[in-house]
Amino acid sequence: MSRRRQLYEGKAKVLFEGPEPGTLVQYFKDDATAFNNQKRGVITGKGVLNNRISEYLMTRLNEIGVPTHFLRRLNMREQLVKEVEIIPLEVVVRNVAAGSLSTRLGIQEGTALPRSIVEFYYKNDQLGDPMVTEEHITCFGWASPPEIDEIMSLALRVNDFLSGLFLGVGIRLVDFKLEFGRYWEGEEMRIILADEISPDSCRLWDLATNDKMDKDRFRRDLGNVAEAYQEVARRLGILPEGGPRDMKGPAIMQ
Ligand code: TMP
């Protein structure tokens, strides 16, 4: 196997140069962090599950015409994606009050919101990803007004589709975070969905019991983190063949 050049290492993923120009290999680690890296841990098997769950959700989104960076899964922990210029925003969509919204505004967790809310955070670890408004985004040139419109419209389409998809398997999509990138096809630039969609980046509550099935189990020390991620995959009908014994996946190949 040829050596791949590592381009970027984040908290939960590593990006390598892809086999063809304009592609990248996205490797999913088992590492977990919370509260901007203050809490760290390893959730064994998380990378395998997130790779598979993100593949599934991005594929379904592609099918309904939401453009994404996902090309194909390569193995248990890696997927081939389109190389994009990441827009430095974390786009959060909320349907139910939880997490920072509840803390900041004193709204009890679990309160259904009268309409979905889209929030923007500036993607900058040193600053702790501060919340920003469209004024900041355009003033500092992170995205243009038409790009913001496109991002909002895509984020709400993703929300509508994923809310229904999860509802169908007994899960409430409370909130989630998306990242977008600029992708060039010749002279044409398109905004496409990038990064991942997984229990690391979503709040997923069991519809019947309100049990948390996402990274809040790690953030709040609730235990059974990998089991919850596995249950999400099981309900989506995509548990890796071979079941839990396959969860570790291969060691990182370089
Ligand atoms: P928050 O309530 O902490 O602002 O999180 C909102 C949603 O965004 C939640 O589903 C978790 C996700 N999220 C990330 O994916 N990455 C992050 O760094 C943060 C803070 C939240």
Side-chain angles (χ1 to χ4, degrees):
M1 177 133 198
S2 62
R3 277 184 150 260
R4 272 206 295 260
R5 198 157 68 91
Q6 182 174 316
L7 301 176
Y8 172 83
E9 176 153 16
K11 286 175 283 200
K13 294 190 292 297
V14 187
L15 289 176
F16 297 96
E17 210 167 57
E20 304 123 42
T23 65
L24 300 176
V25 174
Q26 185 166 256
Y27 176 96
F28 288 75
K29 301 192 279 188
D30 283 346
D31 298 356
T33 68
F35 315 117
N36 199 23
N37 230 348
Q38 290 176 55
K39 180 181 171 81
R40 291 175 211 202
V42 171
I43 303 167
T44 304
K46 172 174 85 81
V48 176
L49 288 161
N50 282 356
N51 186 24
R52 187 72 187 89
I53 293 170
S54 200
E55 170 197 18
Y56 178 77
L57 298 176
M58 294 263 184
T59 303
R60 295 283 86 80
L61 286 165
N62 265 323
E63 283 167 3
I64 62 150
V66 172
T68 82
H69 73 158
F70 179 81
L71 290 168
R72 65 191 155 86
R73 187 163 61 87
L74 297 172
N75 56 49
M76 299 280 277
R77 284 181 186 270
E78 293 177 325
Q79 50 182 244
L80 188 69
V81 300
K82 293 175 178 169
E83 183 173 17
V84 297
E85 178 188 300
I86 286 285
I87 294 171
L89 296 174
E90 303 211 335
V91 180
V92 170
V93 184
R94 301 181 186 270
N95 300 306
V96 176
S100 71
L101 177 87
S102 292
T103 312
R104 199 160 6 92
L105 302 180
I107 298 169
Q108 199 186 358
E109 271 210 339
T111 309
L113 300 172
R115 45 163 282 194
S116 303
I117 292 175
V118 181
E119 297 171 344
F120 297 107
Y121 296 82
Y122 178 43
K123 201 172 143 58
N124 183 316
D125 281 344
Q126 267 155 12
L127 300 175
D129 298 340
M131 191 188 225
V132 292
T133 69
E134 293 183 39
E135 292 283 287
H136 301 106
I137 297 169
T138 52
C139 179
F140 300 114
W142 300 323
S144 66
E147 286 177 334
I148 298 174
D149 288 349
E150 179 66 4
I151 287 170
M152 294 265 270
S153 131
L154 286 170
L156 290 171
R157 266 175 86 194
V158 170
N159 184 44
D160 284 348
F161 182 73
L162 291 188
S163 290
L165 187 149
F166 278 117
L167 205 57
V169 297
I171 293 174
R172 178 175 294 126
L173 179 59
V174 169
D175 57 31
F176 58 96
K177 185 264 297 184
L178 300 174
E179 293 184 27
F180 294 88
R182 299 187 183 92
Y183 180 69
W184 276 267
E185 276 165 322
E187 295 289 287
E188 287 261 311
M189 189 275 286
R190 281 217 293 173
I191 303 274
I192 69 175
L193 191 57
D195 193 51
E196 69 178 285
I197 309 177
S198 73
D200 268 11
S201 59
C202 301
R203 282 198 176 91
L204 304 168
W205 294 359
D206 182 274
L207 204 55
T209 64
N210 280 335
D211 279 354
K212 298 184 198 314
M213 306 173 71
D214 56 63
K215 198 170 145 189
D216 268 350
R217 301 204 71 86
F218 168 76
R219 294 189 190 98
R220 303 179 188 192
D221 295 318
L222 298 175
N224 296 326
V225 190
E227 289 79 0
Y229 283 46
Q230 199 178 307
E231 176 61 12
V232 172
R234 193 193 66 76
R235 291 205 195 171
L236 292 173
I238 54 168
L239 204 59
E241 309 99 55
R245 71 189 166 78
D246 272 1
M247 289 301 167
K248 279 205 180 107
I252 189 163
M253 309 252 279
Q254 289 196 44

